[in-house]
Amino acid sequence: MDEPSADGARQRYDRGMALVRGACPHDCPDTCAFHATVEDGRATKLAGRADHPITAGFLCGKVSDYLERVYSPERLLHPLIRTGAKGSGAFREATWDEALDVAAAGIAQTIERHGPESVLPYSYLGTMGVLQGGAMADRFMSAIGASGLVRTICASAGAAGVGIATGQSPEVDPEEWPRAKLIVCWGWNPMSTAPHLWRLITLARRDGAKLVVIDPFRSRTARVADQHLTPLPGTDGALALGILRALLDAGLADEEWCRANAVGYDELVERLGDYPVERCAALCDIGADVIRTLAHEIATVQPSLIRLGVGAQRHAGAPIAYRTVACIPALAGSWRHRGGGLSYIPRAATNALDTGVLQRPALQRGTPRSLNMSQLGEALTDPDLSPPVTSLVVWASNPAAVAPDQAQVLRGLARDDLHTVVLEHYLTDTARFADVVLPATMQLEHLDLHWSWGHHYLTLNEPAIEPVGECLPNSEIFRRLAARLGLDDPAFRETDEQMLEAVLAAAPESIDPADLRARGFTKIDLGQGPLPHAAGGFRTPSGKLELLAAALGDQGIDPLPHYHPPAEVADEALAERLPLALLTPKTHLFLNSTFANGVRQHAAQPEPMVYLNAADAGPRGIADGDRVRVANDRGAFQCRVVVSDEARPGVVVAPMGWWNTDYEGGVSPQVATPQLLTRLGEAPTFNDCRVEVARV
Ligand code: SF4
């Protein structure tokens, strides 16, 4: 079948067949480009684009049968109004007019009684599209004066940390990764969570690169790595300090590069006097010799690349840990080499698009408070919160399943005086608590534009089919809610196409809208070249890599790399009662809670489990396959145990994503995770958590 025409128009074929360009909308760094085949109005095939440099012609196991999701008999096709108790899932079908009237009346009533801040929006990257993920929704929330939502549930701790050292600088472009000869995946399992970025690592390995994985859990990536290091959760900063010290001890520190392109070299050298390798080794429980060998390889097997994931930044000390890791390529001299250096979230690319024209901050009414999305439980149950949250509008997220301290979240969602509106595709754990459920379109049914948090491409998503059932785009739902609440600014009458035009018209020179329209994707040109920082050029206050960050000192934070321990995991008193650390990584076939209701995906991962090392299972009388109760002071969940050295001693690994209804007792591992936020980045600390495990 031919490609779409070069002018970007939908290519039409005989017998009503068309090939339409799209983008995977899910919260995944790969942001794949696909083609949907449409025959007589029905999508019949979805295929990853072979001409997209990252997608490379395939979709992952989560999305490859996406059409099953689009046409699923379980999909919500009509608006619903609750008829039973909250959480019961009892609803009746309603017309759009009735459902929107009820939704809007609830919001209006809450504003009248408690003021606009009593309305709380709740969304994340259930769709990463700039039109359907925000835009009209942002305008709506701004114009009514709703509380703001601090959307930091994912990568913000790490971003804050890396940003201290390197600013919002270009990282190593993933397309350069195949040149690396040593790749360290730190807290990252790309085989499961970024299979297309993983492909680029496999290209490097094919040319002889060594892969080292740092992860307390033996993930799929760790299983196939050349070397797997298993630090105690939350001690990555100690490991990084040990590597830095080992570089100095071995005379491998690239003093010349640091003096030319970094600030604070002498201060760092002095600081590392406090961190002998043996001390760091004891903190992270990795052998001192192993640390020395790794440091030697990072400096001498060039290009060496460290790719940080989000897994290691879910603890209280993570920002400083990531800031410390980001200093390693400086001392190792890795930025001198093409393909060498550091990659995390490519923030220079993710922030290239000016979305202000979509959000329209000028519509903002008042200066409302902001509530953090990872403290939803507190926001919904704190009796002293003034005004209380009495109206919750949720889209592109499933907080009942994924927000920490789940028991408190569920108590909040069950409040009779909370008016909840949920825009969704399926009756999720959160939707079951809604007063009104509004059926939203899926990716083949609407227009959107997608950035990536893994690579440098913007990707266009064109509507391929008419909405299934009565579904409407999120943008249209908020337009209609705005009309009901009397919001008459012309901004609420803009079409999706007009919003797309506006955001592309406002695009900086690094983005080529014509190329995007012509090909369906375009690479953001950051001007970084093959050696982005061989001669410095960091976007920091000093213009150099900041081994010493004066801005931290201004905030009363130690400006040099140091060990910032985790909170709960390092609490020795708590450890006497709750001796095990809990990790909640993503699974291979679910993306957070998305796809956990997929027929194929669920059949392949039919029930939740925890991994427990034999050294921890034996003394507790726990055998492989037993049902266990994992508990702490916040709550307890139950599931099957796999006794295995996939988990290192002292750690329980509870892969997350199954819906609450898959667990005995109706709560998932998030019942045990804390609402504590990191100081820098205001991010959650899911992996900074202590529990005990017992057989049931
Ligand atoms: S979930 Fe990720 S890997 Fe899978 S198709 Fe979407 S973007 Fe690609």
Side-chain angles (χ1 to χ4, degrees):
M1 184 174 284
D2 294 332
E3 295 292 297
S5 59
D7 65 0
R10 175 188 172 106
Q11 183 77 46
R12 295 191 180 280
Y13 299 87
D14 292 342
R15 301 183 305 279
M17 183 182 288
L19 198 63
V20 185
R21 294 129 13 134
C24 177
H26 295 288
D27 185 3
C28 165
D30 291 6
T31 309
C32 289
F34 58 67
H35 279 144
T37 303
V38 181
E39 298 177 73
D40 296 325
R42 188 175 174 90
T44 55
K45 183 181 171 189
L46 199 70
R49 287 184 63 171
D51 58 343
H52 188 279
I54 304 296
T55 306
F58 71 98
L59 300 174
C60 72
K62 304 176 182 84
V63 172
S64 55
D65 62 347
Y66 190 71
L67 300 187
E68 300 295 322
R69 287 183 74 72
V70 173
Y71 296 115
S72 166
E74 302 294 315
R75 185 164 169 202
L76 299 173
L77 301 180
H78 309 281
L80 300 174
I81 290 179
R82 185 168 59 83
T83 56
K86 290 196 173 191
S88 68
F91 293 90
R92 67 169 171 82
E93 282 185 18
T95 64
W96 269 108
D97 275 344
E98 182 188 13
L100 287 169
D101 284 348
V102 172
I107 294 169
Q109 195 174 61
T110 216
I111 293 173
E112 190 181 316
R113 286 189 184 159
H114 301 287
E117 287 177 311
S118 60
V119 180
L120 180 66
Y122 199 98
S123 72
Y124 199 61
L125 299 182
T127 171
M128 287 179 49
V130 300
L131 301 182
Q132 306 307 331
M136 201 55 74
D138 298 331
R139 296 177 186 187
F140 176 85
M141 292 299 168
S142 295
I144 65 172
S147 286
L149 185 72
V150 182
R151 291 176 169 89
T152 52
I153 201 167
C154 187
S156 302
V162 171
I164 291 164
T166 62
Q168 196 166 291
S169 302
E171 80 317 349
V172 183
D173 182 339
E175 291 177 82
E176 297 287 333
W177 295 358
R179 296 175 181 275
K181 292 299 176 206
L182 175 72
I183 298 178
V184 180
C185 286
W186 200 316
W188 193 38
N189 174 21
M191 260 185 97
S192 293
T193 63
H196 300 81
L197 297 180
W198 170 244
R199 185 186 72 87
L200 299 171
I201 293 172
T202 65
L203 293 179
R205 297 186 83 192
R206 191 188 63 188
D207 286 348
K210 176 179 179 178
L211 174 65
V212 179
V213 169
I214 299 173
D215 192 333
F217 175 51
R218 193 163 66 203
S219 65
R220 286 188 185 228
T221 306
R223 279 183 223 163
V224 302
D226 299 294
Q227 187 178 11
H228 178 205
L229 306 185
T230 58
L232 285 166
T235 64
D236 305 271
L239 177 55
L241 287 161
I243 292 170
L244 290 169
R245 175 61 187 265
L247 289 169
L248 274 184
D249 290 350
L252 291 168
D254 190 342
E255 183 177 343
E256 182 188 74
W257 187 92
C258 288
R259 291 208 181 279
N261 302 304
V263 291
Y265 180 75
D266 291 327
E267 291 87 345
L268 177 63
V269 169
E270 185 181 349
R271 169 57 56 85
L272 290 173
D274 296 340
Y275 292 97
V277 177
E278 278 72 15
R279 180 188 173 202
C280 299
L283 286 167
C284 65
D285 198 26
I286 301 287
D289 287 347
V290 174
I291 294 174
R292 288 192 183 93
T293 302
L294 178 59
H296 187 273
E297 289 179 340
I298 290 174
T300 59
V301 183
Q302 296 285 8
S304 71
L305 168 72
I306 297 174
R307 206 300 188 171
L308 282 157
V310 296
Q313 52 97 64
R314 305 201 191 285
H315 62 86
I320 297 302
Y322 272 48
R323 171 258 193 295
T324 307
V325 172
C327 294
I328 294 173
L331 257 66
S334 305
W335 288 113
R336 291 179 185 269
H337 304 275
R338 185 170 180 180
L342 182 90
S343 290
Y344 179 49
I345 309 294
R347 290 197 305 153
T350 59
N351 292 326
L353 204 60
D354 175 7
T355 55
V357 294
L358 298 178
Q359 292 153 347
R360 296 287 191 90
L363 291 168
Q364 181 66 55
R365 173 183 171 192
T367 51
R369 68 184 174 192
S370 286
L371 300 170
N372 191 293
M373 65 187 309
S374 299
Q375 295 180 323
L376 180 64
E378 281 182 25
L380 295 181
T381 59
D382 180 356
D384 297 324
L385 187 67
S386 179
V389 174
T390 50
S391 181
L392 180 69
V393 183
V394 182
W395 71 101
S397 187
N398 182 12
V402 301
D405 207 345
Q406 188 175 84
Q408 198 177 48
V409 172
L410 296 180
R411 271 200 305 280
L413 290 173
R415 276 173 37 204
D416 282 333
D417 65 337
L418 178 69
H419 173 76
T420 302
V421 178
V422 176
L423 286 63
E424 253 304 352
H425 304 141
Y426 292 96
L427 198 62
T428 60
D429 290 320
T430 304
R432 296 171 76 87
F433 283 86
D435 294 280
V436 185
V437 182
L438 303 176
T441 47
M442 295 179 75
Q443 191 72 346
L444 301 189
E445 303 154 24
H446 55 228
L447 180 69
D448 220 327
L449 176 65
H450 288 258
W451 53 282
S452 164
W453 55 273
H455 56 70
H456 295 194
Y457 289 85
L458 275 182
T459 309
L460 188 62
N461 184 78
E462 297 171 325
I465 57 174
E466 293 297 318
V468 175
E470 293 186 282
C471 296
L472 290 175
N474 286 348
S475 54
E476 178 61 18
I477 294 172
F478 280 102
R479 266 185 214 103
R480 295 188 185 190
L481 282 173
R484 277 170 167 75
L485 285 168
L487 302 175
D488 59 3
D489 190 284
F492 293 105
R493 292 191 291 279
E494 278 190 2
T495 65
D496 288 0
E497 184 59 50
Q498 286 170 328
M499 290 195 291
L500 177 67
E501 282 293 336
V503 75
L504 292 180
E509 280 185 7
S510 59
I511 294 171
D512 181 347
D515 188 43
L516 176 77
R517 292 281 195 185
R519 292 198 293 160
F521 60 85
T522 190
K523 188 167 188 177
I524 300 168
D525 181 7
L526 298 172
Q528 66 187 86
L531 288 162
H533 303 301
F538 291 94
R539 298 178 188 170
T540 57
S542 64
K544 298 186 173 189
L545 189 146
E546 300 207 342
L547 303 171
L548 183 150
L552 279 183
D554 296 343
Q555 299 174 60
I557 298 173
D558 187 338
L560 284 164
H562 59 281
Y563 182 52
H564 183 164
E568 238 177 67
V569 170
D571 184 334
E572 292 178 7
L574 190 62
E576 290 182 12
R577 280 195 304 118
L578 302 171
L580 300 169
L582 176 70
L583 295 180
T584 53
K586 299 181 201 303
T587 68
H588 191 68
L589 290 174
F590 306 157
L591 206 171
N592 300 322
S593 66
T594 306
F595 303 106
N597 65 329
V599 173
R600 177 177 57 79
Q601 292 86 346
H602 196 276
Q605 298 181 168
E607 65 169 335
M609 86 292 283
V610 293
Y611 294 97
L612 191 64
N613 193 278
D616 297 313
R620 291 170 174 79
I622 294 172
D624 187 52
D626 282 349
R627 312 295 301 176
V628 292
R629 181 174 186 270
V630 182
N632 62 17
D633 297 339
R634 286 178 287 271
F637 65 96
Q638 294 186 20
C639 61
R640 181 172 63 90
V641 67
V642 177
V643 176
S644 150
D645 59 2
E646 314 275 314
R648 58 154 289 152
V651 175
V652 192
V653 178
M656 59 85 80
W658 282 273
W659 289 10
N660 299 347
T661 43
D662 274 322
Y663 288 85
E664 294 169 31
V667 290
S668 76
Q670 299 311 346
V671 79
T673 55
Q675 295 184 67
L676 176 75
L677 302 178
T678 59
R679 178 174 171 189
L680 295 167
E682 297 181 67
T685 52
F686 288 107
N687 289 338
D688 197 344
C689 177
R690 286 203 159 275
V691 295
E692 179 56 298
V693 181
R695 195 153 60 102
V696 292

